[in-house]
Amino acid sequence: MTIRGAFWPMGGKREICPYTANQKLLDIRPSSTSAVSGSIEILADGRFKLELEAAGGAGSGWQDENVWAGGGSAAAIVVEVILTAGKYNYSVPGKTKASGFWTSGGSGGTAYFKSSNASAVNFTVTGGKSTYGSTNNAGGTVSSFTGTVKKTVLKKNGNAASGWTNAPGAENAGGASVYVVDNVKFGAGGSTTKAGNQGFLRLTFISEE
């Protein structure tokens, strides 16, 4: 799926910027376990706000009376970055599958926003970790932070989750979300038998700078 941020009239380039301040070009919040991937054509150089968060890990599952840890939460970044006109690719992971008896839904998916050749711009954050039977699941990491960043609002690895109990039916908590949007805890780790929360991406034009 390719998204055009705006259109030039009659196929010719205008001198004025096609965007207005605080115009949202992307706002992606997956509603299932599937990732949302695509591309966007940025039509003018400018300063943009990028909010990017991966998915949380699922819980570690359980075995008879052994109840393992929740999943780690995802890493996130919020930056104001200079983007030049051109094509950019993105991917936002959906929810991590739920865990259960003798099973774990696994680690959360990775989120990224990068230029078409991934050399000038590459922001990548990984999901929270989880494996079956683990008593300590690490948070995700900021694995790439490449671009002309003018302001860093947030650059944070995910929160780890730990715990173990032999109380059947117990739920050890997952790692807390590091970036909550509109009261949604994107990237939070799931508790012992639960799914990890989905990722998030929003791209907003700020100015022509």
Side-chain angles (χ1 to χ4, degrees), residues 48 52 59 98:
F48 297 78
L52 183 68

Side-chain angles (χ1 to χ4, degrees), residues 69-202:
S73 69
I77 62 163
V78 180
V79 296
E80 293 183 11
V81 60
I82 300 299
L83 300 179
T84 58
K87 183 178 180 180
Y88 295 81
N89 301 318
Y90 60 83
S91 184
V92 187
K95 296 180 180 180
T96 311
K97 293 181 180 179
S99 302
F101 185 60
W102 285 92
T103 64
S104 170
S107 298
T110 293
Y112 64 77
F113 181 88
K114 58 183 72 175
S115 51
S116 57
N117 62 8
S119 60
V121 174
N122 186 346
F123 294 99
T124 303
V125 288
T126 67
K129 306 303 179 185
S130 182
T131 57
Y132 171 73
S134 175
T135 60
N136 192 346
N137 288 312
T141 62
V142 178
S143 64
S144 182
F145 195 78
T146 303
T148 306
V149 176
K150 306 298 288 187
K151 180 180 180 181
T152 301
V153 179
L154 178 72
K155 181 183 179 183
K156 186 168 175 45
N157 292 336
N159 294 306
S162 62
W164 174 86
T165 180
N166 60 2
E171 290 284 341
N172 293 309
S177 170
V178 301
Y179 190 58
V180 178
V181 181
D182 299 331
N183 296 316
V184 179
K185 298 176 181 179
F186 292 103
S191 58
T192 296
T193 67
K194 307 302 182 185
N197 284 2
Q198 70 270 40
F200 172 74
L201 172 112
R202 183 161 58 193

